[in-house]
Amino acid sequence: MKSDDATMIVDLALEPRFSLGSLVVRPATREVAVAGQIQVLEPRIMQVLVALARRRGEVVARDELIASCWSGRVVGEDAINRCIAAIRRLSEAHGGFSVETVARVGYRLGESAAAVDPIAGPARAIKPSIMVMPFANLSGDAEQDYFADGMVEEITRALSRFRSIFVIGAGSGLSFKGKATTPQDAASALGVRYVLEGSVRKAADRVRIAVKLIDGDNGVQIWSDRFEDTLEDVFALQDKVALSVASFIEPAVRRAEMRRAKNRPTSNMSCYDLYLRALALCRTPGKAGYLAALGFLDRTIALDPDFGPALALAAICHVLIFAYRWSDDPQVNLAAARTLTRRALEVADEDSEVLSKSAMAMQMMGFDIDAAAELAERATALNPGSAFNWLAAGAIQLRYGDPGLALEQLETSLRLDPTSESGPLLRFNLGMAHFALRRFHEAVPFLKQAAQLAPDWPAPSAILAAVYGHLGEMPAGREAITQHRTLARIDAGEGAVFSPSSLRDLVMEGITLAENAAISEATE
């Protein structure tokens, strides 16, 4: 690239080819190439891209862009916003770079790693992006604007804890205050995919906050909710609502992203899309799903060897395949799980999702439960709004031998995301917690739900057999035993499910009662 600053007029005919993330950019022909495909950009969009690329990692003021791309002519904000939005769409589609808005100043182009040739190098994961619009103050009191603005800042801060989402700063969102801007216009201006709208109504000592999540591409409402509480401590209430809203938004965004990925051809998918495909397959535990998920995860990791969430999820898939003997050589899967877990923690030890998934993999492998518990604790501290973090913490405490604390943490997970994509796993662990506390009747509905949600997963039927054995409900116990034997063996291979020893003994005692009843019936 030229060493001149960004104020030099961009003459595309004189600009050399350069690499940007997964793209090869050819300014003279206005082409961007990736994986053998070519896209031709509008001249102005290419000029803005070149101007930003000249000073990668630095803030380029809007005035500088106007000078270098429009020769200093007076242009409206919409012209620059349109170009920035187009460049962000390139980033989302192909990866490796991003454009950050620096409120009231300009833009900064950054790369997630050294630029590489798209044919030879990795494509980086691209996260869904979101902004929080200024909340409408419906209280009839202009002096209460501070509370509405505070909600925007608190929710933005809570969302930023989710590393799976790129969150535009609160300042950029608040810059739309007082303007007649639609969610789609705001999304286009800042180049984001999702927009959160909201309103605040205060009356006497109560406050009601309504929020809705909008798809910035088509204006479709994805999710909405309202929160109401007493106004005893304004700032405590802001924290509470922000955490609640964030905990609902993250899974809503992820489900929307999964739908997007599912509709794209698998031959032309980004690293993040491949990860989402794998994640969707893992929502329903079972042999076929985990094996298929590993296929997508292998492709993801090949594209980006440092993509922590994919490494951690692959570790979980491998350890479950090992535990249930779903491969010809389970020891190979165990070794892979250990390597992937170690690698995930090396590259992303500040990502709460990676910490919790790695902790889950470690406890399922049955080693270093103290380290797994520490990782889970760090994950919930980093992001207490993540339902999966609390699920991991509860599952580990259950194996650690504290079913009471496990039940509290698992119920927190259920409260944060009642329709969680981890539904079978969460309900299974809730059933296990009740079982460990010898609340056998309370365990039954959770285990049945887990079995219904994941019919190819052996674990729920095994524990159901044990529950019915302890309850003396032998016909149901025999049915559960039969169902389990069609899916897997009841042996040491499921040690991860039946640890610690006190829990394993309780499980095996119940299963023995159910099996003896089945044998007795068969010999009569």
Side-chain angles (χ1 to χ4, degrees):
M1 296 296 297
K2 293 182 177 182
S3 60
D4 302 355
D5 65 29
T7 59
M8 173 182 284
I9 294 175
V10 176
D11 186 340
L12 296 179
L14 302 178
E15 292 291 332
R17 153 185 161 154
F18 62 94
S19 295
L20 180 62
S22 61
L23 303 176
V24 168
V25 183
R26 302 167 184 150
T29 56
R30 309 199 320 271
E31 296 175 336
V32 290
V34 60
Q37 297 184 342
I38 294 175
Q39 179 178 345
V40 179
L41 303 184
E42 294 179 21
R44 199 72 71 191
I45 294 170
M46 179 61 80
Q47 282 183 298
V48 173
L49 178 60
V50 169
L52 293 174
R54 284 175 172 177
R55 287 171 50 189
R56 305 179 202 211
E58 299 178 20
V59 177
V60 180
R62 295 174 71 92
D63 289 345
E64 292 178 283
L65 287 177
I66 292 172
S68 61
C69 302
W70 281 269
S71 301
R73 294 196 305 273
V74 176
V75 296
E77 289 189 359
D78 288 346
I80 298 179
N81 291 342
R82 188 179 67 85
C83 293
I84 295 296
I87 294 170
R88 283 184 171 137
R89 285 193 291 271
L90 271 179
S91 168
E92 290 182 356
H94 304 298
F97 69 98
S98 62
V99 180
E100 175 188 0
T101 298
V102 180
R104 300 180 180 86
V105 180
Y107 305 95
R108 176 168 47 212
L109 185 146
E111 291 184 273
S112 56
V116 294
D117 188 291
I119 298 174
R124 297 287 159 174
I126 299 301
K127 299 182 288 187
S129 48
I130 187 171
M131 66 165 292
V132 184
M133 291 281 282
F135 276 26
N137 175 16
L138 305 181
S139 303
D141 181 0
E143 293 185 1
Q144 299 300 325
D145 279 358
Y146 82 93
F147 184 81
D149 292 347
M151 283 310 317
V152 171
E153 293 178 358
E154 289 300 322
I155 290 173
T156 300
R157 186 176 297 114
L159 284 171
S160 67
R161 293 178 176 177
F162 290 93
R163 296 295 183 91
S164 59
I165 303 175
F166 178 80
V167 185
I168 295 292
S172 294
L174 289 171
S175 68
F176 291 97
K177 186 173 180 179
K179 299 179 181 178
T181 307
T182 68
Q184 285 175 279
D185 288 341
S188 176
L190 294 182
V192 299
R193 188 172 291 170
Y194 302 98
V195 175
L196 183 73
E197 282 191 316
S199 63
V200 177
R201 184 186 298 275
K202 291 175 64 179
D205 64 341
R206 298 193 67 82
V207 62
R208 174 181 294 175
I209 299 169
V211 291
K212 55 184 177 180
L213 185 65
I214 308 294
D215 188 319
D217 287 344
N218 52 34
V220 172
Q221 179 175 303
I222 297 173
W223 166 82
S224 65
D225 207 340
R226 65 175 55 186
F227 303 84
E228 188 170 353
D229 210 331
T230 58
L231 196 60
E232 295 179 358
D233 184 334
V234 170
F235 301 111
L237 179 60
Q238 285 180 340
D239 289 342
K240 176 182 177 182
V241 173
L243 190 63
S244 298
V245 170
S247 69
F248 279 102
I249 287 176
E250 195 268 345
V253 167
R254 178 163 287 178
R255 284 190 284 269
E257 289 295 298
M258 285 180 178
R259 288 193 293 271
R260 288 177 185 268
K262 189 175 181 180
N263 292 330
R264 293 175 185 166
T266 58
S267 59
N268 184 26
M269 300 180 73
S270 73
C271 179
Y272 188 70
D273 289 334
L274 291 167
Y275 169 70
L276 290 177
R277 286 281 184 109
L279 195 62
L281 287 165
C282 291
R283 291 174 66 180
T284 305
K287 178 179 179 179
Y290 286 125
L291 291 174
L294 275 179
F296 285 113
L297 291 169
D298 287 344
R299 290 173 60 187
T300 304
I301 295 167
L303 287 169
D304 186 352
D306 295 338
F307 189 11
L311 292 165
L313 184 60
I316 288 177
C317 290
H318 276 292
V319 77
L320 285 167
I321 290 169
F322 158 76
Y324 292 110
R325 304 299 193 262
W326 283 336
S327 72
D328 295 333
D329 192 348
Q331 290 300 320
V332 171
N333 296 103
L334 180 61
R338 289 175 173 170
T339 299
L340 288 162
T341 301
R342 189 180 307 113
R343 179 62 182 155
L345 293 173
E346 286 174 356
V347 301
D349 67 345
E350 292 301 320
D351 186 326
S352 71
E353 178 185 352
V354 170
L355 292 177
S356 56
K357 282 186 167 65
S358 297
M360 286 284 280
M362 289 171 64
Q363 66 90 11
M364 286 189 289
M365 284 185 273
F367 69 89
D368 208 349
I369 195 68
D370 289 340
E374 182 181 345
L375 290 176
E377 186 177 348
R378 281 182 58 200
T380 55
L382 281 170
N383 188 359
S386 168
F388 187 84
N389 288 351
W390 288 106
L391 165 57
I396 289 165
Q397 283 300 324
L398 185 57
R399 275 63 174 185
Y400 205 64
D402 191 342
L405 177 57
L407 185 59
E408 291 179 15
Q409 294 172 328
L410 294 165
E411 287 176 339
T412 299
S413 177
L414 184 63
R415 185 169 61 255
L416 286 172
D417 186 12
T419 60
S420 170
E421 60 200 38
S422 302
L425 186 60
L426 175 57
R427 282 155 178 78
F428 171 73
N429 277 280
L430 281 164
M432 285 285 286
H434 283 293
F435 176 82
L437 292 167
R438 295 179 179 268
R439 300 174 183 172
F440 300 126
H441 286 290
E442 289 89 340
V444 170
F446 288 113
L447 293 169
K448 281 186 172 180
Q449 289 170 18
Q452 290 168 357
L453 291 169
D456 295 330
W457 187 24
S461 55
I463 308 304
L464 271 173
V467 167
Y468 289 132
H470 283 290
L471 289 173
E473 298 181 12
M474 296 312 172
R478 289 192 295 272
E479 182 180 346
I481 284 287
T482 301
Q483 172 64 18
H484 184 85
R485 283 174 174 164
T486 65
L487 299 173
R489 301 190 307 272
I490 299 176
D491 61 14
E494 291 179 304
V497 173
F498 300 154
S499 59
S501 58
S502 58
L503 181 57
R504 181 167 58 251
D505 292 345
L506 188 64
V507 171
M508 298 312 296
E509 180 185 345
I511 287 176
T512 299
L513 290 171
E515 283 187 320
N516 288 343
I519 294 171
S520 176
E521 182 182 69
T523 57
E524 288 179 359

